[in-house]
Structure formats: C-alpha cells, structure tokens
Amino acid sequence: MIKRTLMVNGIARQVICELDESLANVLRENLGLTSVKIGCGTAQCGSCTVIMDGKLVRSCSMKMKRVEDGAVIITTEGIGTPDNLHPIQLSWIANGGAQCGFCTPGFIVSTKALLDSNPKPTREDIRDWFQKNRNACRCTGYKQLVDAVMDAAAVMRGEKTTDELCFKIPEDGRIWGTKYPRPTAVAKVTGTLDYGADLGIKMPEGTLKLALVQAEVSHAKILSIDTSEAEKMPGVEKVVTHKDVKGKNRITGLITFPTNKGDGWDRPILCDEKVFQYGDAIAIVCADTEKNAKAAAAKVKVELERLPEYMSAPAAMADDAIEIHPGTPNVYFEQRIAKGGETEPIFDKADAVVEGEYFTTRQPHMPIEPDVGFAYLDDDGKLCIHSKSIGLHLHLYMIAPGLGVEPENLVMVQNPAGGTFGYKFSPTMEALIGAACLATGKPVFLCYDYYQQQTYTGKRSPQFTNVRLAADKDGKILGMETDWTVDHGPYSEFGDLLTLRGAQFIGAGYDIDNIRGMGRTVATNHAWGAAFRGYGGPEAEFASESLMDDLAEKLGMDPLELRYKNVYRKGSTTPTGQDPEVYSLPEMIEKLRPKYEAAKKKASAESTDALKRGVGVAIGVYGSGLDGPDTAEVDVQLNEDNTVTVLTCWHDHGQGADIGVLGTAHEALRPLGLEPEQIRLILNDTRQCPNGGPAGGSRSQVVIGRAIKAACELLMGGMRKSDGSFRTYKEMIDEKIAVKYNGKWTAPATECDANGQGKPFACYMYGLTMAEVAVETATGKTSVEKMTMVADIGKINNRLAVDGQIYGGLAQGIGLALSENFEDIKKHSTMKGAGFPYIKQVPDDMEIIYVETPRPEGPFGASGVGEIPLCAPHPAIINAIYNACGVRITELPALPEKVLAGLKG
C-alpha cells in the first residue's frame, strides 16, 4: 500500500491505495469523482482523461506507482459545475455535443488542455488533438464536438459571449423543431450524471461483486463443473451455477413466426449441458470485492468435450454439420418474397440483367460504456434489476420464466446509459445478475470489462446476399430476384424478424413490380446476432444499392439518374406491396443533383495517378416501428402545482429519449402554456411507467410519440372548461375529475404474410447519401473526404438530437464500409483491433439536407430517424471507391488490402 497526497481540483486529498491501482479507480472509488469514466480500460477511448501536472493522462492505464506525491490533477468537476458552467460545457450543450454523454467528461477535459495550450485552434488542430489523445465518440460523428471547441475558444478569447451560445425559446414559446437542449445535457457535461458503474460504487454496504466464469471455446458439451476450490477463496459468498437457477434457466427468444422451427428456449442463463459460443456464462462468482471474485473465478474447473465449431453460416449449413441445438435444424427459419408475377420470363426477355453476391460483416457495436448492471431485492420482496436495457418490459418477459420469478415480482429499470446502438435490445447480463441476487439474497453488481463487451454481447448478424436485377433499355427495373442468408449466431431471439427485413428492404426505394426470393436464418457458433442500428436495412440495401451502380454502368446511365427514374412515385409500392406514405425521393434526388454534379467534376479534376477520387450515391429506406400493429402506452398526470408529469418507457441509448418525450409532450400541451421546465419526466422504470415498447426500429418518436399526444389530449380534455379555458389541479380535485390519464396508440399496420406481403409500418424514413472518397493506389487505403445526406424523416422534433443521430449514423456507416469487424475473436476484442473509427477516419465535412414531408400517422408529422443514417452510407462509399479506381468491393469491410488486390487484379 502507498499513501499519496494529491491536489485534485484545487483541494489537497489524501489517498491510500495499492501500488498497481489505476489513477482512474482511485479518483472514482477513493475520492468519488465519477466524472472519470472507465470505458475500454486500455487507454483507447479517452473517457478516463484527466489533466495531471499540466498534461493529459488517460487515467485508466496510469498506475499509482507512477503518480508523484503532490501531483496536481484536474477532472471535469474542477472545470465547471451545474450552477457555474465553463464556456466549454456551455458550448457542448449548445452544439449537441453530449448525446449518450458517457465520453463527454473526457472530451471536456481534453478540450480544456487543448485551449490552455492553443487558444485559437483551427478545426484541423482540434481533430489532430483528439486523434493524438485517443478521445473516442461512438454517438456524434465528431463534427458537433469540433463545432463546440471552436465556439468555446471564441468565447474564451472574448470574440463571442456566453449569451450568444445559450438557447433562447422563441417568442411563440414553441420548442418543437428547435435546438432546445436535452434535459440531461447539464448533468452530462459536468460529469454529474451517474451511469451504471457510477451507481455501482454507491450501492449499499454488503453489495456483492460478480465475476463470470466463461467459456473459452465456441462449442462443447459440459461434462462437469467443479466450484469447490473457488468457494474456499477469500471473500467468496457463493459460486452460482445452473443448479441454483430456480426457473427454466433459459431466456426465451419470443419466437415471432409460427414457421420458425425452433421454440425460442435455446439460450441458457448459465450453461448446463452445452457451450454454444465463446464467452457463454457457466458460473457466477459472488464475492466481497471484484478482485476476489475474479481470482475465485479462475479457480472454477470446467471439464468440456469439444464439438465442431461452426463459425459461419456456410459451415453450419454443410451436409455433415451437426445440429447446434439438438432437435432444431441449423437452418431454422425461411422467409419468401413473392410480389407480382413470376420473374423468370422477365429475366429471359430483359434488355439488361445484372447479378451480384454481397457480404455484410459481423459489425460490433463498440459503445464506449461497457455493459453494466446491478440487482437487489426490495422491501416488498420484488427482484429489481437495473441495467442498460432498451426494452424493459420486453426483457422482463424474456427472463422471468428462466429465473423462476412471476412477472409481477420483477421490476426492471434503465440506468442512464452510454450508447447501445441496439445490442441492448437483447438481454445481456440482466438474467445473470438476477440469478446471482436470488441465489445469495444480497444486492449484486456486475460490470463487464471491454474484452467481455466485445466477446460476450450480440453483434450485427453477417448476411450473404445475392441479387439479380432486370431492366429495359431505358433503365426501368422490370424484376428482381433475391437470395439471402443470415448468420444469427447460436441464439434465435429476433432472428426470424431480422430475416424478414431482407424481404422488406432489398430493393427498397424502387418501383419493382415483380420480385421473387428466399431468405433463411442460420444458427452458428459465432457471436449471437443482436439488433444493431438499421437491423437488416444496411445488409439488404448494401446489396441492392451496389448492384444499382452495376446496372447503371451496363445501361450506360448515370447512377443517380437511374435511381431517379425508378424511385417511388404515386402508384409505386414497396417490396411488401405497401403504398409508401409519402413520395419524397424524387425531390430528394433533385436537391442532391447539383451537389452531385459538382462533386463529380471536383473528383475528376483532383484525381492523380497516386490518389484516385470518386463519388458514390445510395438510397436508404427503413420503417419506423415494429412490424404490424405496434403499440405504446403513456401516462400523463396533472400535479398539485399545476405542472405535468409524463411517465413512459421511452428508453434512452444515446439518441435523446429525454428530449424526445419533452419535445413531443410540450407540443401536445401547448394550449396549457407550460414552460418546458414545467413538464416532468419519469422514464424507464416498470414499477412506475406503462409499457412504451422497446427502443428499436426507430419506433419511439412515432409510436410512443402518438401515445404521448393521445394522453395529453385526454388530460386537456378533462381540464377543459365549457368556455375553453382550463381547470387547475385544485378545481379538478374539487370537481372529482381524474388528474391522471393513460394514452395508447396502435399503428394502423399489418404484419407481412408468408410471401413477405403486407403493410408492416405506418411511417417510413428516406435517405439519400453521397460519399466523396480518395483511394491511395499504392496502398489501397480509402479516405472519406465528405459525406452528404438528404434526409426525409418527417417533421423534426429536436434539431440537435436529429443532427446528432445522422452525423453519428454516417460515422458508423464509414466504419461498416471500411474498417469494422468482429470475426477474429482475439484480434477484434479491442476497439482499435475491431476497427473503431476515430476522428481522423471520419470527415469533418458532413452536410445534412432535410426534406420535412409531414407524416400522416406521425405525431405532429414526425417519423423516426435513428436507423436511416446507417442504411446507405456504406454502399455510397463502396460505389465511390468503384467510381474512383474501378475496384468493386462486395465483401465488407473494404480494407486496404482488399482494394489493393483489386487494383493489382
């Protein structure tokens, strides 16, 4: 042990700790400075950044033995407080820099160090600084962060006032469609918002820390589990195995379709008979400290009999492959698409036919915050689970039978969460911490390290997609044939629904009367398939949008003009036979066309033999909602002080649930003349909030938004007097009129049939993306120099939130196109190894053009936004690479060696 006196934020603080303890843990756990976040834990993300003796330090990798006595340390708490914000923090709020907010304190500290050393940085100086210091963000796309630094620097130089930075409510009082800051913004920029790991530090005395015993193979029979040695280790309370789980010990995948050949009960909470993938949980060690828990976990002995490991769909589909889940075939679901007439005669007579085979990779979500949660038994005997879940009611019913808990005795709460981008649509650790809490009767806490985050959470399911297009000589698409295979890993949850997306979105955006195809879901032993932003759209549209460029080349047409000729117009239908609710794609193309022509001229003029430049375009379409009659409920109540409280489960994984609820409710309640501060939000707690449904499929703004509108209208109906004025709370009580109302909305939609035909979504989103790239011919390295997106997401609720979603989605699309992968479990187990895009991999030049076509079914005309910016940037980039150098990449990511091989070929 060592003693150090540290000068932290201007105050002398004494700490006693181990020599090899990290500075991050000392600041967080000894001193309670939880603005210091631990993300990757390996100095690759910058969330733990502090200033020590005038220099930036990534404190997760700084051991205390290297920290001098008297070291001067500055954390976010020392830069500004909620009641005394620093210009950097004000600027972060004004520019929408804090989305999920987990990385924000690290960026604030890093910016302070930058501006102390360089008061007048250029945009490139700022980007170089964040690149050098490894400040990583997965939400924003970085552009807003550079904007924030530029504005803060201007204020600090006296060239701009703080008043100019602060949002001002318009004279009409409306915040809908404005840049009103999200309610959590101040807490995020000051580091005072407690995320899961921060709350874990503040759990009651006696809370047990958990460590998992996990499989280090991908497929095996379990012969024995010996916990005897582990149970004797210091501090161990209990080692939990499948024998301690009182229920079915299974997480139900809630099979969506009756044609699914599985029953959905294929994922164990704790493995009992088999290991199905690398990282599967076999036991949970519950101990007094995390260090003791991990030491004991290493002593659990698991005897295995190795089985063949099917790490891809083709391997699992081979004739000699055994069934991963005995009794269920590895190909356990099939989805047809049959629209219009038979396609074979059309292809026989078509003037132009093109075909391509495409592969989209197992993209890792790579949030900065690793998965984290805790559980306890409350005074009513209910099991309470707090986590990053973005589907609290959904997960409650998925895990309750496995745990042996009646649903009414299970409470699910979402902690403030760093981005999830969809992986938390699946329960990850919820059942594990629930099982440990029930087995010990004590509160428990579990936080994954980044290796566990990478290896033991779901990933985007890889997809093999074959598409054929037939067209006449004028470019009119006559027919399409498709075949797609989804590698969904070992667990079936939502795998059938994902495969349906191929029927819905391959060829989406175009008027194609005749379609035939078949898709299938395959069980493998690689990482389980979880929802990821776009959920089937990026996989489907990569294939059809790449092939559209090939068709244009064959016809001698410009790729944008071929798209213009075929996009939805009145009389067109989607691949499912549904009439689009709006027909904005022609207008969107017209808005892009002059920029596209200018970009092509620029690329041609600036290309050299060493650096080839090119331009690519792609269309993206996605639905806002879960298929069919998607439903949400919201409670709204009038309070004694005549403010209003809105209660619902609009889950937040960085996209801005708080501002989504507030903006929608404020617009609905405008007749009452309330200030935004007079609307209170209670979100994401199943004990208090009705079921709003999970945060996926860009459904929340539409489905929950309509339920908010309905609830607010019911409340105002109760408050309204005969003269049109409104009753006060006291008048409502005196007249015995209810002050709390439940609003419910169900989408007027129908699920798709066996042929993929139906009206699955009430609202859609439309995007047109243009990428400008440069390809180094000596290395094959591709740089994206500009991204432009024309987006029709209906009427905009909050511009900061929507801009952030689009910039962030484009950045993730760049990663999907060029670098991101989770194929090699060891190589891709870190952020850097998995191809995380840092700021210099994402262009500063990103432009958004909005076409706000009001949606008939959307609340105040809004549609969703989250999915659409990741549906088409990657095919636009791949098309731009082809335009630049003639290399057609069909398997993502387009690593330099792939492009170079194409150049040499």
Side-chain angles (χ1 to χ4, degrees):
M1 301 288 279
I2 58 169
K3 177 174 75 70
R4 290 281 188 270
T5 298
L6 307 176
M7 186 62 67
V8 183
N9 299 326
I11 300 170
R13 307 291 298 271
Q14 181 177 289
V15 296
I16 299 170
C17 61
E18 300 283 353
L19 266 172
D20 63 350
E21 186 59 274
S22 71
L23 175 60
N25 279 340
V26 167
L27 292 170
R28 287 174 54 78
E29 298 185 19
N30 296 49
L31 301 182
L33 297 171
T34 51
S35 76
V36 181
K37 308 301 182 191
I38 298 178
C40 67
T42 55
Q44 293 184 17
C45 77
S47 63
C48 65
T49 300
V50 301
I51 300 170
M52 184 170 77
D53 295 331
K55 295 182 180 179
L56 276 188
V57 170
R58 279 164 266 167
S59 60
C60 74
S61 62
M62 173 62 69
K63 299 300 183 185
M64 287 302 295
K65 61 188 174 187
R66 295 170 53 205
V67 177
E68 297 291 335
D69 199 52
V72 177
I73 294 169
I74 299 172
T75 70
T76 309
E77 290 92 343
I79 293 175
T81 61
D83 58 355
N84 186 25
L85 293 170
H86 190 279
I88 296 170
Q89 294 164 319
L90 279 171
S91 188
W92 232 260
I93 293 170
N95 286 283
Q99 284 181 224
C100 88
F102 189 83
C103 70
T104 298
F107 271 98
I108 298 285
V109 172
S110 188
T111 300
K112 177 70 164 58
L114 166 63
L115 297 182
D116 284 349
S117 62
N118 180 2
K120 196 170 184 178
T122 65
R123 296 185 73 87
E124 204 56 30
D125 289 339
I126 297 164
R127 286 163 57 79
D128 287 342
W129 180 268
F130 288 148
Q131 181 77 19
K132 179 181 76 173
N133 291 294
R134 280 287 186 263
N135 289 110
C137 178
R138 189 63 161 161
C139 292
T140 62
Y142 298 107
K143 183 180 185 299
Q144 314 91 299
L145 309 187
V146 180
D147 293 342
V149 178
M150 293 293 286
D151 280 349
V155 171
M156 293 167 70
R157 293 194 305 268
E159 297 167 10
K160 184 179 280 192
T161 67
T162 55
D163 190 57
E164 289 177 270
L165 279 183
C166 294
F167 178 83
K168 297 172 186 63
I169 294 179
E171 287 185 11
D172 65 2
R174 172 176 272 166
I175 65 169
W176 180 269
T178 71
K179 293 185 175 182
Y180 186 86
R182 61 183 72 192
T184 52
V186 169
K188 287 172 177 174
V189 302
T190 55
T192 56
L193 184 67
D194 281 338
Y195 296 80
D198 307 327
L199 293 166
I201 293 171
K202 299 165 187 179
M203 288 287 283
E205 186 177 355
T207 296
L208 298 173
K209 306 302 191 296
L210 307 183
L212 302 183
V213 179
Q214 294 176 271
E216 296 179 5
V217 300
S218 297
H219 198 196
K221 285 183 183 178
I222 296 176
L223 302 180
S224 67
I225 304 170
D226 182 358
T227 63
S228 57
E229 192 174 345
E231 287 165 346
K232 298 172 186 174
M233 293 287 286
V236 172
E237 175 90 7
K238 186 174 180 61
V239 180
V240 180
T241 69
H242 66 90
K243 295 176 183 177
D244 300 295
V245 181
K246 303 303 182 187
K248 294 173 67 108
N249 189 37
R250 292 293 183 274
I251 297 169
T252 174
L254 296 174
I255 290 303
T256 308
F257 302 114
T259 50
N260 194 311
K261 296 174 183 175
D263 63 5
W265 294 98
D266 48 33
R267 182 176 161 203
I269 295 173
L270 288 169
C271 293
D272 40 26
E273 297 175 353
K274 285 183 71 175
V275 164
F276 296 100
Q277 69 161 45
Y278 187 96
D280 266 349
I282 299 170
I284 310 167
V285 177
C286 312
D288 58 345
T289 67
E290 183 180 15
K291 186 175 182 180
N292 283 341
K294 288 184 174 180
K299 298 295 185 180
V300 175
K301 297 174 183 175
V302 182
E303 187 181 2
L304 301 172
E305 178 187 322
R306 296 286 292 269
L307 295 171
E309 297 178 350
Y310 304 118
M311 303 301 279
S312 69
M317 294 166 69
D319 291 340
D320 62 349
I322 65 172
E323 289 178 342
I324 292 171
H325 297 282
T328 301
N330 291 344
V331 180
Y332 59 88
F333 177 73
E334 293 181 333
Q335 174 66 53
R336 284 172 50 81
I337 173 75
K339 175 188 176 185
E342 292 294 334
T343 51
E344 189 173 344
I346 293 170
F347 277 85
D348 289 343
K349 297 178 182 178
D351 296 316
V353 174
V354 290
E355 182 173 4
E357 295 183 3
Y358 306 91
F359 175 75
T360 45
T361 190
R362 186 177 283 100
Q363 186 184 19
H365 299 72
M366 290 191 284
I368 309 298
E369 179 196 35
D371 209 26
V372 59
F374 52 88
Y376 56 93
L377 294 166
D378 71 8
D379 289 345
D380 297 323
K382 294 180 186 291
L383 174 62
C384 302
I385 295 175
H386 292 235
S387 71
K388 290 179 70 174
S389 168
I390 57 171
L392 295 172
H393 288 88
L394 175 71
H395 290 174
L396 188 155
Y397 289 103
M398 290 177 73
I399 69 174
L403 291 172
V405 176
E406 293 301 320
E408 60 268 24
N409 291 323
L410 180 54
V411 176
M412 304 287 290
V413 181
Q414 188 193 28
N415 294 323
T420 87
F421 315 107
Y423 87 90
K424 284 302 302 184
F425 204 95
S426 295
T428 51
M429 63 164 53
E430 284 77 5
L432 296 174
I433 57 179
C437 180
L438 291 171
T440 61
K442 294 187 176 182
V444 298
F445 171 79
L446 175 62
C447 185
Y448 289 177
D449 60 29
Y450 215 80
Y451 183 80
Q452 290 173 306
Q453 175 65 39
Q454 285 293 87
T455 58
Y456 189 50
T457 58
K459 303 292 178 284
R460 184 183 299 282
S461 295
Q463 184 166 307
F464 300 83
T465 310
N466 181 281
V467 185
R468 293 179 79 204
L469 291 173
D472 66 19
K473 64 180 184 299
D474 296 321
K476 167 64 179 152
I477 300 173
L478 304 174
M480 181 173 73
E481 294 178 347
T482 59
D483 185 271
W484 66 102
T485 299
V486 175
D487 172 350
H488 200 57
Y491 303 128
S492 65
E493 55 197 47
F494 319 118
D496 45 14
L497 187 62
L498 177 59
T499 301
L500 173 61
R501 294 289 180 261
Q504 294 167 337
F505 296 119
I506 300 174
Y510 305 111
D511 183 22
I512 308 174
D513 291 333
N514 308 289
I515 304 174
R516 290 293 184 275
M518 175 71 80
R520 62 204 58 81
T521 320
V522 182
T524 70
N525 294 117
H526 215 310
W528 90 69
F532 195 151
R533 191 182 212 156
Y535 192 59
E539 299 90 311
E541 292 164 24
F542 172 60
S544 49
E545 286 302 305
S546 296
L547 197 59
M548 282 294 287
D549 268 36
D550 289 348
L551 179 60
E553 184 176 46
K554 190 160 191 175
L555 290 164
M557 292 183 68
D558 180 89
L560 186 63
E561 297 312 314
L562 177 65
R563 288 170 169 84
Y564 184 76
K565 187 177 193 68
N566 286 284
V567 291
Y568 298 151
R569 292 174 173 84
K570 287 200 174 178
S572 303
T573 56
T574 70
T576 71
Q578 181 177 7
D579 294 331
E581 85 283 33
V582 295
Y583 300 89
S584 52
L585 281 168
E587 179 188 352
M588 293 165 66
I589 291 175
E590 286 165 359
K591 284 186 177 293
L592 183 68
R593 187 180 281 117
K595 294 179 179 291
Y596 172 68
E597 295 298 336
K600 286 196 300 180
K601 287 180 183 176
K602 182 174 183 287
S604 177
E606 296 181 3
S607 283
T608 65
D609 289 342
L611 197 66
K612 300 287 188 181
R613 287 186 161 83
V615 181
V617 293
I619 283 173
V621 179
Y622 206 78
S624 291
L626 304 180
D627 300 60
D630 190 5
T631 299
E633 292 187 49
V634 173
D635 287 341
V636 175
Q637 67 184 30
L638 183 65
N639 303 318
E640 193 171 356
D641 60 357
N642 293 306
T643 62
V644 171
T645 297
V646 183
L647 304 95
T648 189
C649 288
W650 182 330
H651 306 86
D652 199 337
H653 47 134
Q655 83 284 16
D658 55 345
I659 193 60
V661 175
L662 179 62
T664 307
H666 187 264
E667 183 70 4
L669 295 168
R670 281 195 76 218
L672 298 182
L674 296 173
E675 300 293 330
E677 296 80 8
Q678 293 176 289
I679 300 173
R680 182 183 173 210
L681 310 182
I682 296 179
L683 304 178
N684 306 324
D685 181 338
T686 63
R687 192 197 301 271
Q688 301 184 73
C689 304
N691 189 354
S698 297
R699 64 180 293 279
S700 299
Q701 179 62 73
V702 173
V703 186
I704 304 176
R706 281 294 300 267
I708 290 171
K709 186 171 182 284
C712 291
E713 287 170 352
L714 289 171
L715 171 63
M716 290 188 297
M719 295 174 67
R720 192 173 282 110
K721 299 178 182 179
S722 58
D723 64 358
S725 63
F726 294 96
R727 294 176 176 88
T728 64
Y729 177 88
K730 184 177 185 307
E731 289 171 327
M732 298 279 279
I733 296 299
D734 289 346
E735 296 180 47
K736 295 183 169 52
I737 300 172
V739 294
K740 186 173 184 178
Y741 294 84
N742 177 262
K744 186 174 181 178
W745 188 75
T746 300
T750 61
E751 294 179 359
C752 292
D753 62 20
N755 287 323
Q757 300 301 285
K759 299 178 180 179
F761 309 110
C763 294
Y764 284 84
M765 302 163 281
Y766 302 91
L768 172 60
T769 308
M770 179 174 73
E772 299 172 50
V773 308
V775 179
E776 294 178 4
T777 55
T779 64
K781 180 185 177 183
T782 300
S783 300
V784 179
E785 298 188 325
K786 182 175 182 179
M787 296 294 288
T788 304
M789 184 171 179
V790 186
D792 182 3
I793 57 162
K795 302 299 288 184
I796 292 171
N797 176 347
N798 182 270
R799 287 190 175 269
L800 288 178
V802 166
D803 284 355
Q805 284 295 284
I806 292 181
Y807 290 135
L810 291 174
Q812 289 182 334
I814 292 167
L816 177 60
L818 298 180
S819 62
E820 294 179 29
N821 203 359
F822 185 76
E823 185 62 34
D824 184 318
I825 291 170
K826 290 185 178 179
K827 179 181 176 182
H828 296 144
S829 62
T830 65
M831 289 172 58
K832 190 175 178 182
F836 187 97
Y838 290 94
I839 194 167
K840 295 301 286 285
Q841 282 74 58
V842 177
D844 191 39
D845 195 353
M846 293 198 282
E847 182 180 1
I848 309 169
I849 302 165
Y850 289 110
V851 175
E852 292 187 70
T853 313
R855 296 301 194 269
E857 295 294 345
F860 311 110
S863 191
V865 62
E867 257 68 29
I868 195 62
L870 189 43
C871 281
H874 51 302
I877 292 165
I878 298 304
N879 289 337
I881 292 172
Y882 184 80
N883 178 251
C885 65
V887 175
R888 170 60 66 189
I889 298 296
T890 58
E891 295 185 7
L892 298 180
L895 298 171
E897 53 265 34
K898 292 183 185 177
V899 177
L900 187 60
L903 287 167
K904 290 179 177 178

